[in-house]
Amino acid sequence: RNSAHDSVCACSADPVVRAVVARYDTARALAAGVTASAVSIAEVATRASGPMIVNPLPFETGGVVELVLPGDVAPAGVQQMSVHPAAVEERAGRGRDLASMLGQLAADGWLGPTGRGVGADLSANGPLVVTIHSDASRKADPAMASVMAEAWAQAGAAPDEPLTVRVVRAAGQRVVTRVEPVPGWGWAMWEPAAAGAPRVTVAETYAGVSVTNGLLHVDLDRGAGTFALDGVAGHNGLVEEDDDGDTYNFSPADRPPVTAPDSVAVEVIEAGPVRAVIRVRRHYPWSGADGALSDIEVAAGEAGVRITTSFDHVGRDHRIRAVFPLGRRTDRTEAECAFATVVRTGAEGGPHEPALATFPSRRFVTAGSTTLTHQGLLEYELVDGTVLALTLLRATGILSRPAPRARPNVAGPPVPLRDAQMPGPQTFRYAVARGCADPWELADRMWTPLVPVTAGGHGHLPERGRRLAVDLGGARVSALRRREGAVEMRVFNPRPEPARVVVDGHEGTLVDLTGATTRRWVGRFELRPFEFVTARLAATSLD
């Protein structure tokens, strides 16, 4: 319902756009529910208990994850983020106060990140004492629900009688660690070990802050708030341009772009050895009282620099872009589109619009040796052959302006808009890499991270493994699902050369977009250049 072109492009009145956003919110909530369900299955699938890492990608990969571990002493190979010691807390009240006492204990942080304990006991005789065991590194005991149901029953039957709620909290810590490669679509129990990738180091310099992980080198400039990547300076500059256009077209104004912030502050948030985060705070007239915050993240073993930029937007009628100098001139970009990439040179226009060099990219765009990958920031431009500009935000107050400079015709009704000015908190996530050999894999690794779970040890699977092995041979996977009791894998070949997909131990059929079976396969199948198919496995179980 969102795919009508004026809906998906937000060329609509505010109520229509709100309905579109609500549908996206619903889709995200459904996806989060599916993910939580899958994680809950993983938690009970293995014989071993403790931290486990699940890989949602079809290829083997490692990465940096956050874990909650027992104890307060950091194991080998981790970066300790926070610690809470073992402690006991008691609250006294009456039976009628049980709800408020539990709520206050949760608000004060005694019941862990979920606001619930992992076990509970009740006093055998005398005044009611509810003892809750809190341990953020453990899964809840299934018997806890019945114990707490009895506590509620006793407290409700004696609302005026004394009640004590005691929390016994185990020592715990939140850490960041580098996980060695986990099988594709597989899992591996986590064990502390020395880091397999070079350490991330941070050094204060006269000009700013220097960060390296052995694969890349970042130098933060305290004066400008930008950074150099492997010697190419000026990355993540923020550029503001007045916009005389509307929801359909950006239309440049006469005022030159504004590139310099009013002030800059640089702060080291995390200093390695697994992950470094440098926060750059820049103030602009449009960025609200707290300014524009850019967290620059360098992680062990990663070839890209992650950036999260956020601000409370108070500007109007302008465009804000993040810019990335290339270091060398080029006239060519290659960007991801649906099931392939598209190469572009120059600008595109038509009889009713002047030529512009702004284009869409689905998750990544490459120019020269620079690759930008992002979450939903779909517009880029190669500026003067030397800079990649990534649009973060466009703000306008009218659905269609009569004959703006960039489009000398009327595209729609001149309806005034409020929401299209994009007021309020905004957050943007993107990353940059140089010399990236496979931007598809870079985007997958950046935006489909490893998933840490806490295994309960109640299953039958081994400590490490996978249930479906596939060698894609250059093809990509867009979906893996069950349908009508069978496993389906949707794959596509984004290249102009054939690809061979190997699925050892399985056979099945290939299905086209109409649902018709095209051919059978045993163990492997070929994809023509740019072909995409659904491979239906002749199996209802992967055991």
Side-chain angles (χ1 to χ4, degrees):
R1 294 183 67 185
N2 281 1
S3 62
H5 67 272
D6 278 354
S7 296
V8 75
C9 295
C11 301
S12 303
D14 285 340
V16 176
V17 177
R18 291 188 200 118
V20 168
V21 172
R23 294 186 198 113
Y24 283 134
D25 289 342
T26 300
R28 277 191 287 268
L30 290 170
V34 171
T35 301
S37 176
V39 168
S40 68
I41 294 172
E43 289 172 345
V44 298
T46 60
R47 293 189 294 265
S49 62
M52 181 173 72
I53 311 301
V54 175
N55 179 8
L57 292 170
F59 53 84
E60 183 179 77
T61 186
V64 170
V65 299
E66 292 190 12
L67 299 175
V68 177
L69 302 179
D72 53 10
V73 177
V78 309
Q79 176 179 326
Q80 196 175 65
M81 305 296 291
S82 62
V83 178
H84 58 260
V88 177
E89 175 73 358
E90 284 192 1
R91 303 283 171 91
R94 301 288 176 179
R96 68 172 65 89
D97 302 324
L98 178 57
S100 61
M101 294 166 71
L102 291 174
Q104 191 59 54
L105 285 164
D108 292 344
W110 286 96
L111 299 181
T114 65
R116 297 178 176 86
V118 297
D121 304 305
L122 301 182
S123 54
N125 47 53
L128 180 58
V129 178
V130 182
T131 301
I132 299 176
H133 301 278
S134 176
D135 187 344
S137 67
R138 285 175 45 205
K139 298 300 297 179
D141 185 343
M144 184 180 177
S146 60
V147 175
M148 290 305 298
E150 178 63 22
W152 283 105
Q154 292 190 30
D160 297 320
E161 295 299 315
L163 166 68
T164 299
V165 179
R166 176 186 297 122
V167 177
V168 179
R169 185 180 70 186
Q173 56 186 309
R174 185 171 63 91
V175 305
V176 177
T177 184
R178 170 76 188 181
V179 174
E180 293 307 302
V182 178
W185 285 332
W187 68 91
M189 300 302 297
W190 179 82
E191 293 290 344
R199 295 165 58 94
V200 179
T201 60
V202 177
E204 300 276 352
T205 67
Y206 176 78
V209 180
S210 178
V211 185
T212 185
N213 65 357
L215 299 175
L216 55 82
H217 196 101
V218 171
D219 289 296
L220 267 295
D221 184 334
R222 290 188 185 276
T226 59
F227 65 89
L229 176 58
D230 294 339
V232 179
H235 284 66
N236 201 42
L238 298 182
V239 176
E240 182 212 15
E241 304 163 274
D242 281 354
D243 186 355
D244 285 343
D246 49 29
T247 61
Y248 291 90
N249 294 76
F250 170 79
S251 189
D254 292 329
R255 180 171 70 97
V258 177
T259 60
D262 298 330
S263 64
V264 179
V266 176
E267 177 185 7
V268 178
I269 304 297
E270 299 177 21
V274 177
R275 183 174 68 191
V277 177
I278 313 300
R279 177 163 296 166
V280 180
R281 186 187 302 269
R282 290 171 284 186
H283 282 92
Y284 301 89
W286 45 263
S287 62
D290 292 334
L293 304 182
S294 288
D295 284 351
I296 313 301
E297 178 183 327
V298 176
E302 288 193 352
V305 179
R306 300 174 187 267
I307 306 163
T308 301
T309 294
S310 59
F311 49 82
D312 188 1
H313 183 235
V314 296
R316 297 174 60 86
D317 301 311
H318 62 178
R319 178 174 67 181
I320 299 168
R321 302 198 289 185
V323 296
F324 296 85
L326 305 180
R328 182 175 297 177
R329 182 178 294 276
T330 183
D331 63 353
R332 180 183 185 274
T333 64
E334 184 171 2
E336 184 187 15
C337 60
F339 305 110
T341 60
V342 57
V343 174
R344 300 183 175 103
T345 58
E348 291 182 5
H352 304 297
E353 299 179 18
L356 294 174
T358 50
F359 295 106
S361 69
R362 181 171 177 267
R363 291 182 306 163
F364 65 79
V365 56
T366 294
S369 60
T370 297
T371 298
L372 290 181
T373 179
H374 55 81
Q375 283 191 312
L377 303 175
L378 302 180
E379 181 181 275
Y380 77 90
E381 181 179 355
L382 178 62
V383 181
D384 298 330
T386 61
V387 172
L388 265 180
L390 185 66
T391 300
L392 304 185
L393 176 148
R394 274 192 65 223
T396 184
I398 189 168
L399 195 153
S400 175
R401 193 180 303 278
R405 180 186 303 177
R407 188 199 66 242
N409 60 78
V410 176
V415 176
L417 305 176
R418 176 189 178 277
D419 294 352
Q421 294 286 11
M422 302 295 290
Q426 309 290 337
T427 299
F428 312 95
R429 295 179 178 88
Y430 45 104
V432 59
R434 291 186 62 80
C436 174
D438 187 344
W440 293 94
E441 188 169 315
L442 175 70
D444 283 343
R445 291 179 188 274
M446 287 290 177
W447 312 123
T448 311
L450 296 169
V451 180
V453 302
T454 302
H458 307 299
H460 67 279
L461 295 178
E463 295 186 358
R464 178 185 179 90
R466 60 181 177 180
R467 302 175 73 192
L468 180 63
V470 56
D471 181 353
L472 292 168
R476 317 301 303 185
V477 173
S478 65
L480 180 69
R481 66 173 186 167
R482 292 189 184 276
R483 182 172 180 268
E484 298 175 354
V487 177
E488 287 188 345
M489 180 175 64
R490 292 181 173 175
V491 294
F492 64 95
N493 180 11
R495 306 180 308 168
E497 304 87 19
R500 172 176 291 184
V501 178
V502 179
V503 192
D504 282 333
H506 288 280
E507 60 183 78
T509 57
L510 297 185
V511 181
D512 65 17
L513 292 179
T514 70
T517 298
T518 60
R519 57 191 186 273
R520 293 195 57 81
W521 59 272
V522 178
R524 65 193 62 202
F525 54 87
E526 301 280 340
L527 289 180
R528 298 187 299 272
F530 305 113
E531 183 181 16
F532 45 99
V533 300
T534 297
R536 186 169 292 165
L537 279 62
T540 58
S541 172
L542 296 177
D543 290 330

